[in-house]
Amino acid sequence: MRRRGRLVAAIFALLLFAALAARVFDLDAFVNIDAVSRWHGRTLKFWQAAGRGAWRGTFQLHPGVTLMWLSGASMKLFGAFSRTFSPETLRAATLPVAIVGALVAPLTFLLLRKLLGPRRTVEAALAGALIATEPFLVAHSRTMHLDMLVTAFAWLAALAGAITVRRGTRGAAIAAGALLGLAVLSKLSGSAVAVGVALWIGVAAITRARSSPRGALRLAALLAVVTLVAVSTAALLWPSLLFHPSRTIARLLEKVPGVIDRGHSGFAWGRVYAKDAGAALYGATLAFRTSPEVLLPAIVALPLFLFARGTPAFALRGLLLCYAPLLFAALHGTKKLDRYMLPFYPLLCAAAAFTLAAAWRLARRKLPPGRAALASAITVATFGLGGRAARLAMVHPLTLAWCAPVPGWRCEEGILLGWGEGMKEVARWIARDGLSEPGRTPKVWGGLYTVTLTPWLRFHRARSQEADYVVRYISEAQRKRQVRQFRRSIGGRAPRHEVRIEGRVYAAIYDGPVRAAALERKQRGAAERSQDRAAKLRKRR
């Protein structure tokens, strides 16, 4: 038992170290557009309202409560709680998200092992390793936003709910309720997983009613515990909900559906969508944003485990049921973005782990010992921490720019890229380039993404015809936004500088109309002075 305990502790520590190493360094590599334009200001307002006891002011939409509590506390701890969005503010605000994202891997190992039993330690460890090193999960753990938080809390809640169904323990029910409350407080999409967890426990109670009435009653009681703890967690951590419940719920029902229904311009498989990209966007997300060693085994897991017997099959079917309401909402919602698929990635990693572990066990039984050992070594190198860690090291710190290879398609042709990556390099280049008038603050136009220069550059947001610098960002170009405005502003000039990430141009910097005119005047003046000097020399001769 002691040896087994030491093994579990060692795997937990290794997964935690690997997950943290992939997430917590260089957190100021980029800022997503929503963080700088929305969530930083909302966090300041949330904490100020809470400090004054103005509980209604803690309503900031979505609701984003966990992000505002965690990022605000971190900014205060590191002395970066300020209206100025500096690199220090960015690092402090993002650190809690990175830590929560890192904890998912080792906690998945512990919860899956408890669910599946000690004999399935390989499945649990492999699932934790895949989650620790999956690029899409790592990337969204390194940015100040809601998606990683709702992903983490919802997934761990689903695992705790599975343990509740499997073992009927009150502690698991309490954990599931608390985590579901945190998931809903992170983003309302967490409520869809809450419905799924409740559905699974309810279905399990009904199916046990004939064979074990007492067991069915216990599950029904545990479902009540999950619900009570989830509601209590949400109310206690959100002052607006605690002190003004009816008004808060009414505002949520009024505002959030409007945000979803208005849609979002998208890009998938080479096509631009004005409002709703449909399921094509999510298909492209799976293809380009998922590592092949996770996507292919996860696809195989569906027919392999859905109709099989045994604990892994039971767990996978139940977890799929937990996420079915969220999948329905994602497919039918008008607003679609690739990051809305993020909550499904831990489930994909777990499904892939089940398939890979089954293949490993089959190889051990069928192959001679030497070949079985070789197959095990290849599995560990490819699907474990080794090869996948090397991939992350190659794309660090801009992990979100990574794309899986898809035959016949380039990533920029298949899926929308760019959430702010590369704009730090743009800001630094503009700062080094300088202006013809020393000390003058540059005027920059870059469409929607101009604001992502904020942490690294002091600038004025200008209209396209009044700009010193024009920046064309990759996602704006892919969606063909403001094409005429952009062409008029650059006047056929070639870019002064290009920021490339993973071999793709993420941002192109041009001289804007104002700077181009100033440079032209400067060149004309230099030419005139040169002609004057030449004329004077001729007179002397």
Side-chain angles (χ1 to χ4, degrees), residues 49-216:
R52 297 194 310 268
W55 309 125
R56 289 184 182 180
T58 61
F59 181 96
Q60 294 290 323
L61 191 62
H62 264 332
V65 174
T66 55
L67 178 69
M68 292 185 291
W69 274 129
L70 292 170
S71 291
S74 181
M75 287 190 288
K76 282 184 173 290
L77 178 65
F78 290 100
F81 195 86
S82 168
R83 290 190 178 278
T84 303
F85 200 89
S86 64
E88 292 75 22
T89 302
L90 176 58
R91 288 193 294 269
T94 307
L95 181 61
V97 182
I99 292 173
V100 171
L103 286 171
V104 177
L107 291 178
T108 294
F109 163 67
L110 290 183
L111 292 173
L112 261 184
R113 187 177 181 275
K114 186 172 183 63
L115 173 64
L116 304 176
R119 293 184 178 181
R120 298 288 181 173
T121 300
V122 171
E123 281 89 339
L126 194 52
L130 293 176
I131 289 171
T133 53
E134 184 62 14
F136 204 45
L137 288 169
V138 172
H140 281 278
S141 299
R142 294 174 46 77
T143 186
M144 182 192 182
H145 213 275
L146 313 176
D147 297 287
M148 190 62 232
L149 295 178
V150 70
T151 297
F153 295 133
W155 169 245
L156 296 176
L159 291 178
I163 295 170
T164 302
V165 173
R166 183 74 174 175
R167 304 189 181 277
T169 56
R170 188 182 302 170
I174 293 171
L179 288 163
L180 287 174
L182 292 172
V184 175
L185 285 180
S186 300
K187 200 173 184 181
L188 279 187
S189 59
S191 61
V193 178
V195 170
V197 172
L199 185 62
W200 188 12
I201 299 174
V203 168
I206 293 170
T207 54
R208 291 183 192 179
R210 290 184 179 179
S211 60
S212 176
R214 182 177 295 180

Side-chain angles (χ1 to χ4, degrees), residues 448-523:
L448 286 177
Y449 287 84
T450 313
V451 69
T452 57
L453 298 169
T454 300
W456 307 284
L457 181 69
R458 185 182 176 187
F459 68 99
H460 293 306
R461 294 184 68 176
R463 296 178 181 177
S464 60
Q465 296 302 312
E466 299 171 354
D468 297 304
Y469 298 96
V470 171
V471 180
R472 190 59 169 168
Y473 195 59
I474 187 169
S475 58
E476 298 283 80
Q478 284 179 298
R479 287 181 285 190
K480 296 180 171 58
R481 283 182 168 176
Q482 300 176 311
V483 174
R484 293 181 181 176
Q485 201 171 356
F486 168 70
R487 287 176 178 171
R488 285 198 303 267
S489 63
I490 66 167
R493 292 181 293 276
R496 292 276 309 284
H497 182 69
E498 292 179 338
V499 175
R500 291 179 175 267
I501 307 171
E502 294 296 298
R504 293 180 286 273
V505 177
Y506 266 67
I509 310 170
Y510 299 81
D511 283 327
V514 173
R515 181 155 172 74
L519 290 172
E520 187 178 342
R521 288 194 300 270
K522 186 176 180 181
Q523 291 170 357

